[in-house]
């Protein structure tokens, strides 16, 4: 498998000169890095070339690295059933970068791109219906970004008296608790609640 992936990496480097920024073979997987402007051309080649035949899109996902200038990785996973090989294609984007939609090349990318937009805020140009898919209407923010607050901004509940869904600012029902992180097997310097009732020898 590693030999065939190495050959594929060399082949792609020869056929896609100037369009593949980097190719990494690690842990039995080939990952190629492209620029957003080259995405459609590279993906069309991977689908149509007789040596590749990556006809099946498995997933489109994202990753957030807020310390980078282009903070998002958009990651595509493809499968070639005939070659029995998988490949990962990655590109970098930020909040303003518009990534071309793959729906014309892989119609199955439709909902995956909507999910990536919803959870990370990555914009896809040419998408037939780019709207949220997992979060509620009017949801504020993108919940898989690293800077998104863990509690969110609003909470949703059904009010039985009003007979409708209510949106309210998040309210923490209890104060934050302090934990000492001491192992109960090693013992603590103080008596745990309930231990005062234990018999002493």
């Amino acid at each position: 498998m590693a030999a065939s992936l190495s050959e594929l990496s060399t082949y792609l480097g020869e056929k896609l000169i100037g369009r593949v920024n980097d190719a990494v073979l690690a842990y039995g997987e080939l990952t190629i890095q492209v620029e957003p402007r080259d995405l459609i051309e590279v993906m069309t080649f991977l689908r149509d070339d007789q040596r590749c035949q990556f006809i099946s899109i498995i997933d489109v996902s994202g990753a957030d690295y807020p310390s980078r200038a282009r903070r998002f990785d958009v990651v595509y996973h493809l499968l070639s059933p005939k070659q029995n090989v998988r490949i990962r294609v990655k590109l970098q984007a930020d909040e303003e970068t518009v990534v071309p939609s793959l729906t014309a090349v892989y119609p199955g990318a439709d909902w995956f791109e909507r999910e990536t937009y919803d959870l990370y805020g990555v914009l896809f140009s040419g998408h037939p219906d780019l709207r949220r898919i997992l979060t509620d209407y009017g949801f504020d923010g993108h919940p898989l970004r690293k800077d998104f607050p863990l509690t969110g901004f609003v909470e949703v509940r059904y009010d039985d008296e009003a007979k409708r869904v209510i949106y309210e600012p998040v309210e923490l029902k209890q104060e934050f608790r302090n934990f000492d992180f001491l192992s109960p097997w090693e013992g603590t310097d103080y008596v745990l609640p309930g231990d005062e009732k234990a018999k002493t020898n």
Side-chain angles (χ1 to χ4, degrees):
M1 180 65 80
S4 64
L5 288 175
S6 180
E7 290 172 12
L8 178 62
S9 176
T10 304
Y11 178 72
L12 293 177
E14 294 168 356
K15 292 291 188 179
L16 298 170
I17 296 172
R19 287 168 181 75
V20 175
N21 294 347
D22 191 20
V24 177
L25 183 58
Y27 306 106
E29 297 178 346
L30 177 61
T31 303
I32 63 173
Q33 185 94 27
V34 301
E35 290 294 327
R37 66 177 178 272
D38 299 321
L39 179 67
I40 299 296
E41 184 179 349
V42 169
M43 296 299 248
T44 304
F45 176 85
L46 291 173
R47 183 194 64 186
D48 297 341
D49 184 76
Q50 286 303 306
R51 179 105 178 254
C52 299
Q53 296 183 355
F54 289 98
I55 61 170
S56 181
I57 188 162
I58 302 301
D59 190 23
V60 180
S61 59
D64 185 17
Y65 302 93
S67 58
R68 291 189 332 205
R70 295 194 293 174
R71 68 185 286 182
F72 303 116
D73 275 353
V74 182
V75 185
Y76 303 86
H77 294 100
L78 304 176
L79 169 67
S80 173
K82 184 155 188 173
Q83 310 294 341
N84 193 25
V85 173
R86 293 176 185 262
I87 191 171
R88 179 182 300 117
V89 179
K90 291 171 73 172
L91 62 86
Q92 292 184 358
D94 57 23
E95 289 94 337
E96 284 78 39
T97 303
V98 179
V99 178
S101 174
L102 277 185
T103 52
V105 181
Y106 294 101
D110 185 347
W111 282 20
F112 293 136
E113 289 179 350
R114 284 180 61 188
E115 181 180 8
T116 305
Y117 161 70
D118 190 3
L119 300 180
Y120 290 96
V122 176
L123 299 171
F124 293 92
S125 65
H127 192 283
D129 185 21
L130 191 62
R131 59 191 166 100
R132 293 186 181 270
I133 191 170
L134 294 175
T135 57
D136 200 6
Y137 303 110
F139 188 87
D140 186 19
H142 303 281
L144 286 187
R145 288 187 179 185
K146 297 280 176 67
D147 53 6
F148 189 80
L150 293 178
T151 57
F153 297 108
V154 296
E155 56 187 2
V156 181
R157 66 178 178 84
Y158 180 78
D159 189 327
D160 203 31
E161 292 177 9
K163 302 293 186 203
R164 66 183 183 89
V165 174
I166 304 289
Y167 294 86
E168 298 173 325
V170 170
E171 177 186 338
L172 298 176
K173 301 296 183 192
Q174 66 179 14
E175 294 294 325
F176 289 108
R177 292 180 287 172
N178 294 321
F179 297 96
D180 58 19
F181 301 106
L182 294 174
S183 168
W185 289 275
E186 295 169 2
T188 60
D189 296 333
Y190 54 88
V191 176
L192 293 172
D195 283 355
E196 68 276 1
K197 300 174 190 170
K199 294 179 182 177
T200 56
N201 294 335

